[in-house]
Amino acid sequence: MTSPSDKALVPFVSVDNMMGLVHALGIETVLTELASFIEADFKRWPEFDKTPRVASHSTDGVIELMPTADAENYGFKYVNGHPKNMKEGFQTVTAFGVLSSVANGYPILLTEMTLLTALRTAATSALVGKYLMPKGAKVMAMIGNGAQCEFQAKAFQAICGIDTVRLYDIDPVATAKAARNLAQSGLTIVPCTTGEEAIEGAQIITTCTADKQYATILTDNMVGPGVHINAIGGDCPGKTELHRDILLRSEIFVEYPPQTRIEGEIQALDATHPVTELWQVMRGEVAGRTDARQITLFDSVGFAIEDFSALRYVHSKIGGTSFFDLLDMLADPDEPRDLFGMLNRAAP
Ligand code: NAD
């Protein structure tokens, strides 16, 4: 992508360019292709360096670094989570990320990841849904109609074939926004006024609310047999969405147990409570859903490998397009040891 003479220039995908890229490719294509990249990386899980994300918690939120690497590339995402932000006109979640060459440590991509996180979270949810949802599921309840909501709806439509989304949010303005944005999606959109109404007839329930507390978005009596729950919003210590009794009735599937035990719904359970790792399901080594009456729960917190896949995907797509700029981000003297000389040459 960069020629040898500009080896120190780093491709940078701005928010504008990310929007251009997604529109040029089509959001369904992006979600479907992203899901294949994530699936391919989950299937080679043992090849990655893995660690729970490095989180810096404060009263109002969290700032996290999410690193991982394989033999070829190193990637990390910087991401925040501040539920109070939305009321002050800021995003709850914003992010950017870097992909580097392991061979020489040079970054090969710097990109916005606020949009990309919404896309990769939705692609991951729908990919997992493909493995765990009951056969022929067509209706999804979507509780929490904020920034992530429409991405989730589009991904489940493109990857799992749902045709109806039942929306609920404590703030009707959010539900109206999501209904408006999804009006031309080809999905049947049903705005609801309670969580109970939203889950009526739904085979998939997605919870995607933001509140820094042990919330109870779903109570035990709301969840019938055979349902797949895609629980996205509980992704931080002290922040969950489901009543504990639901967890006790569910088969629980997670990304990376050392991180999910700290951040996911399962922080409400004993540290030895059995969970199944999704990469093993995707490799066919352990079963996913085994019977129609089972409640399956994806306790999603978001793991670094999903961001690595997303970075890899964007890097693979921007070559030959105009959807990136080149950043002069790395000092690169002609003689590698003459860094000081390079500085002096810039003296006025
Ligand atoms: P957002 O602030 O844009 O939207 C959250 C919505 O939840 C708001 O519209 C709010 O009114 C609604 N809400 C809050 N409490 C509710 C309740 N009790 N019942 C119904 N609705 C309620 O946030 P967002 O960007 O959409 O993110 C949602 C959550 O998902 C956040 O907690 C975020 O940290 C998490 N998230 C997880 C992943 C992951 O990989 N698992 C990725 C991205 C975001």
Side-chain angles (χ1 to χ4, degrees):
M1 188 181 315
T2 48
S3 72
S5 60
D6 59 21
K7 67 185 191 301
L9 294 178
V10 180
F12 167 60
V13 179
S14 65
V15 176
D16 250 10
N17 278 332
M18 184 63 76
M19 295 195 292
L21 182 66
V22 173
H23 284 298
L25 295 168
I27 188 165
E28 289 83 4
T29 303
V30 170
L31 288 163
T32 309
E33 290 182 348
L34 253 177
S36 333
F37 270 61
I38 294 166
E39 188 173 27
D41 285 342
F42 269 56
K43 285 184 175 172
R44 58 188 191 95
W45 195 261
E47 293 174 26
F48 286 93
D49 276 349
K50 293 174 284 294
T51 178
R53 58 187 153 202
V54 183
S56 172
H57 295 282
S58 55
T59 320
D60 291 325
V62 63
I63 296 176
E64 300 165 328
L65 287 178
M66 301 174 67
T68 189
D70 65 6
E72 208 177 317
N73 293 117
Y74 171 95
F76 77 85
K77 179 169 84 174
Y78 166 104
V79 61
N80 78 300
H82 287 70
K84 71 161 183 65
N85 271 9
M86 183 257 300
K87 291 196 180 69
E88 297 166 5
F90 294 95
Q91 290 286 117
T92 297
V93 176
T94 63
F96 67 88
V98 170
L99 189 68
S100 299
S101 155
V102 164
N104 65 2
Y106 272 36
I108 57 169
L109 177 70
L110 169 65
T111 178
E112 88 78 40
M113 288 192 82
T114 305
L115 285 164
L116 194 55
T117 293
L119 291 161
R120 77 80 157 123
T121 303
T124 305
S125 287
L127 169 66
V128 172
K130 196 180 73 171
Y131 282 92
L132 299 181
M133 70 184 197
K135 269 204 181 61
K138 293 287 175 203
V139 181
M140 177 162 87
M142 183 77 224
I143 302 182
N145 302 152
Q148 311 302 316
C149 169
E150 298 90 328
F151 294 88
Q152 290 282 325
K154 290 296 295 174
F156 274 90
Q157 179 188 30
I159 294 164
C160 300
I162 63 159
D163 61 22
T164 302
V165 176
R166 301 175 64 85
L167 300 171
Y168 169 66
D169 194 292
I170 38 167
D171 181 355
V173 173
T175 303
K177 175 267 316 179
R180 199 167 53 243
N181 284 340
L182 292 169
Q184 306 303 320
S185 63
L187 288 163
T188 301
I189 302 299
V190 186
C192 301
T193 50
T194 63
E196 285 79 0
E197 185 190 348
I199 61 163
E200 269 171 36
Q203 298 93 19
I204 302 168
I205 303 175
T206 292
T207 55
C208 190
T209 65
D211 205 353
K212 205 166 172 13
Q213 61 158 327
Y214 296 113
T216 310
I217 305 304
L218 294 180
T219 51
D220 193 31
N221 61 347
M222 288 167 79
V223 179
V227 163
H228 174 61
I229 305 172
N230 171 41
I232 304 167
D235 61 352
C236 211
K239 180 159 160 262
T240 57
E241 294 182 305
L242 308 183
H243 191 283
R244 186 172 181 273
D245 290 349
I246 300 173
L247 308 184
L248 298 174
R249 289 164 60 214
S250 304
E251 286 303 312
I252 303 172
F253 297 84
V254 303
E255 292 141 315
Y256 180 57
Q259 184 178 308
T260 313
R261 297 260 183 220
I262 302 169
E263 301 180 350
E265 297 299 323
I266 56 170
Q267 58 188 289
L269 298 177
D270 201 285
T272 56
H273 190 93
V275 296
T276 303
E277 295 188 48
L278 283 158
W279 66 276
Q280 291 184 304
V281 177
M282 292 183 198
R283 276 161 66 122
E285 292 171 1
V286 296
R289 172 177 288 277
T290 49
D291 87 68
R293 291 183 59 78
Q294 211 170 30
I295 299 169
T296 52
L297 165 62
F298 173 26
D299 185 0
S300 160
V301 292
F303 187 57
I305 291 176
E306 293 144 37
D307 298 308
F308 181 95
S309 311
L311 288 164
R312 221 165 51 70
Y313 176 67
V314 170
H315 188 253
S316 77
K317 287 292 172 185
I318 57 173
T321 76
S322 56
F323 297 120
F324 68 98
D325 302 302
L326 290 172
L327 282 191
D328 180 18
M329 199 170 100
L330 305 175
D332 189 42
D334 296 337
E335 206 284 85
R337 287 169 300 187
D338 195 16
L339 188 62
F340 194 80
M342 186 188 83
L343 174 69
N344 274 353
R345 277 192 291 283

